[in-house]
Amino acid sequence: MNGGLLVAGTTSDAGKSVVTAGICRWLVRQGVKVAPFKAQNMSLNSFVTRDGAEIGRAQAMQAQACRVEPTAHMNPVLLKPGGERSSQVVLLGRPVGEMSARGYHGGRQERLLGTVLDSLAELRGTYDAVICEGAGSPAEINLRRTDIVNMGIARGAGLPVLVVGDIDRGGVFASFFGTVALLAPEDQALVAGFLVNKFRGDVSLLEPGLDMLHGLTGRRTYGVLPFRHGLGIDEEDGLRVSLRGTVRESVVAPPVGEDVLRVAVCAVPLMSNFTDVDALAAEPGVVVRFVDRPEELADADLVIVPGTRGTVRALEWLRERGLADAIARRAAERRPVLGICGGYQLLGEHIEDEVESRAGHVDGLGLLPVRVRFDREKTLTWAVGEALGEPVEGYEIHHGVAEVTGGAPFLDGCRVGRTWGTHWHGSLESDGFRRAFLREVAAAAGRRFVPAPDTSFAALREEQLDRLGDLIEHHADTDALWRLIESGAPQGLPFIPPGAPA
């Protein structure tokens, strides 16, 4: 087998990432050696591979669904927004500069098509099948000329296309029909059919519409996936109000101790790697919420200032909203505060930034004895160490170089009283370290909270990926899906007018 498939969507957040992961896990369980691929990802939620390449976290999650190590070829182009109109361009795992949206779509993107096709060819030469994920909608006609992630990659590599639609939003039939009808004839020839996502109710009531859609487009529906809570793991650019659902769907176990722990995460601008707190949300008795007002910190047992692509901007935002003063009061009262990456940097004494914000010298919150200087070279590395008597793993993604001048060591950073700071993303996924940290937080907060002794974040993630595979296995026409991956789009698919505008 040397197959491939592009999972496109009628809209952003239609379910492309989870459907791709589900297909990958289903194939692995059939004994297929499979890899994920996304030519171009726009996300602040990224991951560092073992060899120091930065890719989207969604592709890292999909690689886990495939039970393989993630590589830069799985996401050759990553765009990390730094504002409304510009992004950092990460090519094959390394940053190559900042670019405006107009500059990128005005020519640079088109020139990257060869690079992404080479990465796809590398994967297809190594694996039995490659399941590709599109971005947004393939019918974004204003961007089709420079497209390298939807029909551009499908046509360049001859991939069949499966279009996913979120029926929970409504209008899925119009979205399916309109998506095909706005594509050029050569692109339409690769669109094999549809997959309905997030359906609630009796499927028999939907079937007449699916039959009519087939009659209108000549394309079949490959499955109807039922609505399931909590399947959106490692989101690219969304933010769940409740993170517990992103970890597992099963009923949450009651607290082991007498109390719960309340964790407030400051929803700073350009927040990156907010999945760092997923492991906390997985713990029975830990309640995680995102906040943007100082009064919301009052009853929190732990406040987390997360990573951000705009450290100075986040610092200004905290001050404008009164959150900076509230955090400083907490630290003075020895109430727990944790800063991660950009959040760690702004807890320090001062920041010298001529790279990210170009603001020069900026005073930090002064809660940790740390001085930060932004370097043009980006630190991308896997980290292994020990803290609180437990082994820890994580990864670093930052331009800021921290000089620690005091305090007690904590991972790569430091702590003063009950204020901790580190650049390490993902450290809370280390079960023993997470439990030890929560015990310290509970003691400082005066809570009779006890971490569950057997919570394994890795096992919960595997359980989640298996549920995605189950969705495909039980609710998609897997025989037809197999033929599509192995043999490509059916021949003779009809053209649906009007097609793409000239």
Side-chain angles (χ1 to χ4, degrees):
M1 182 179 187
N2 185 13
L5 174 69
L6 175 70
V7 179
T10 56
T11 62
S12 295
D13 202 32
K16 297 183 292 291
S17 294
V18 295
V19 167
T20 299
I23 293 173
C24 287
R25 178 50 62 99
W26 163 67
L27 285 171
V28 164
R29 297 196 304 209
Q30 309 309 307
V32 177
K33 187 180 179 185
V34 60
F37 178 79
K38 185 162 185 172
Q40 172 193 292
N41 199 342
M42 177 173 279
S43 178
L44 289 171
N45 207 17
S46 61
F47 179 82
V48 176
T49 65
R50 297 276 179 177
D51 60 354
E54 185 179 10
I55 65 172
R57 265 199 74 102
Q59 279 61 65
M61 175 269 290
Q62 291 160 357
Q64 187 174 349
C66 296
R67 299 188 177 128
V68 299
E69 277 290 323
T71 72
H73 287 302
M74 295 173 183
N75 178 209
V77 180
L78 173 64
L79 305 179
K80 302 194 73 176
E84 293 295 326
R85 300 190 177 192
S86 67
S87 294
Q88 183 180 67
V89 181
V90 179
L91 182 62
L92 291 173
R94 304 299 304 183
V96 294
E98 296 280 335
M99 186 164 289
S100 69
R102 179 177 292 275
Y104 184 69
H105 290 287
R108 177 64 182 270
Q109 182 184 35
E110 198 172 9
R111 292 195 295 273
L112 292 175
L113 181 59
T115 300
V116 300
L117 286 172
D118 287 346
S119 286
L120 178 56
E122 176 75 20
L123 294 175
R124 296 187 81 176
T126 305
Y127 294 89
D128 300 329
V130 178
I131 307 303
C132 309
E133 179 188 344
S137 162
E140 290 167 351
I141 54 179
N142 56 316
L143 302 177
R144 176 61 185 92
R145 181 180 62 81
T146 58
D147 170 48
I148 64 170
V149 66
N150 290 306
M151 300 313 300
I153 195 75
R155 201 192 298 188
L159 295 171
V161 178
L162 184 68
V163 180
V164 177
D166 178 357
I167 197 170
D168 196 50
R169 295 183 175 193
V172 75
F173 293 117
S175 297
F176 281 146
F177 183 87
T179 296
V180 178
L182 280 177
L183 299 178
E186 298 85 354
D187 290 344
Q188 287 195 22
L190 295 172
V191 178
F194 313 106
L195 185 75
V196 177
N197 191 28
K198 299 182 185 177
F199 179 74
R200 306 173 191 251
D202 185 346
V203 175
S204 67
L205 299 177
L206 186 67
E207 287 171 350
L210 300 179
D211 292 339
M212 286 185 273
L213 182 67
H214 184 268
L216 288 166
T217 67
R219 290 159 174 84
R220 58 168 298 165
T221 298
Y222 284 76
V224 177
L225 307 185
F227 187 97
R228 292 286 187 269
H229 288 284
L231 293 181
I233 53 179
D234 288 351
E235 296 295 314
E236 290 183 359
D237 51 11
L239 179 59
R240 303 279 174 172
V241 174
S242 170
L243 293 185
R244 186 177 301 283
T246 70
V247 179
R248 56 179 172 181
E249 185 188 356
S250 55
V251 175
V252 178
V256 175
E258 297 179 42
D259 287 342
V260 299
L261 277 185
R262 295 172 176 83
V263 179
V265 184
C266 296
V268 297
L270 297 174
M271 180 164 41
S272 61
N273 289 70
F274 52 80
T275 48
D276 282 338
V277 299
D278 279 5
L280 295 180
E283 284 284 348
V286 176
V287 179
V288 178
R289 67 184 190 275
F290 286 84
V291 303
D292 59 6
R293 295 179 297 178
E295 57 268 27
E296 294 177 296
L297 305 188
D299 68 342
D301 302 307
L302 169 66
V303 170
I304 295 179
V305 188
T308 171
R309 174 84 163 84
T311 302
V312 171
R313 180 176 168 186
L315 183 57
E316 293 170 348
W317 182 87
L318 290 171
R319 285 177 168 142
E320 289 167 359
R321 289 180 170 257
L323 284 160
D325 289 340
I327 292 170
R329 286 195 298 271
R330 287 184 63 90
E333 295 165 1
R334 295 178 62 83
R335 299 176 66 196
V337 176
L338 171 64
I340 302 174
C341 200
Y344 161 45
Q345 293 167 6
L346 61 81
L347 294 181
E349 296 169 352
H350 69 253
I351 298 167
E352 293 288 343
D353 182 10
E354 300 293 347
V355 176
E356 191 175 77
S357 69
R358 297 180 175 86
H361 182 96
V362 178
D363 289 334
L365 297 186
L367 306 183
L368 292 174
V370 176
R371 300 166 185 166
V372 176
R373 174 185 53 82
F374 273 70
D375 194 349
R376 295 195 180 279
E377 287 296 315
K378 193 175 195 178
T379 297
L380 295 169
T381 187
W382 192 262
V384 179
E386 182 178 305
L388 306 181
E390 297 286 346
V392 194
E393 288 191 353
Y395 54 95
E396 298 184 39
I397 308 170
H398 54 91
H399 283 280
V401 178
E403 178 190 359
V404 180
T405 60
F410 178 70
L411 300 176
D412 70 312
C414 66
R415 66 176 292 179
V416 173
R418 299 299 183 185
T419 300
W420 298 267
T422 177
H423 277 125
W424 288 20
H425 294 291
S427 62
L428 293 169
E429 295 181 19
S430 298
D431 297 326
F433 167 72
R434 181 180 65 254
R435 287 192 277 268
F437 180 71
L438 289 175
R439 281 193 289 270
E440 282 217 18
V441 169
R447 298 288 187 189
R448 289 173 293 184
F449 167 85
V450 178
D454 56 353
T455 301
S456 166
F457 187 76
L460 291 173
R461 176 55 54 85
E462 277 296 302
E463 178 186 316
Q464 181 81 327
L465 293 170
D466 275 332
R467 274 206 306 280
L468 295 179
D470 291 343
L471 272 181
I472 299 299
E473 185 170 343
H474 299 153
H475 301 283
D477 185 338
T478 52
D479 289 340
L481 197 57
W482 185 283
R483 289 193 299 272
L484 186 62
I485 294 169
E486 191 172 37
S487 304
Q491 296 297 308
L493 292 169
F495 171 70
I496 308 301

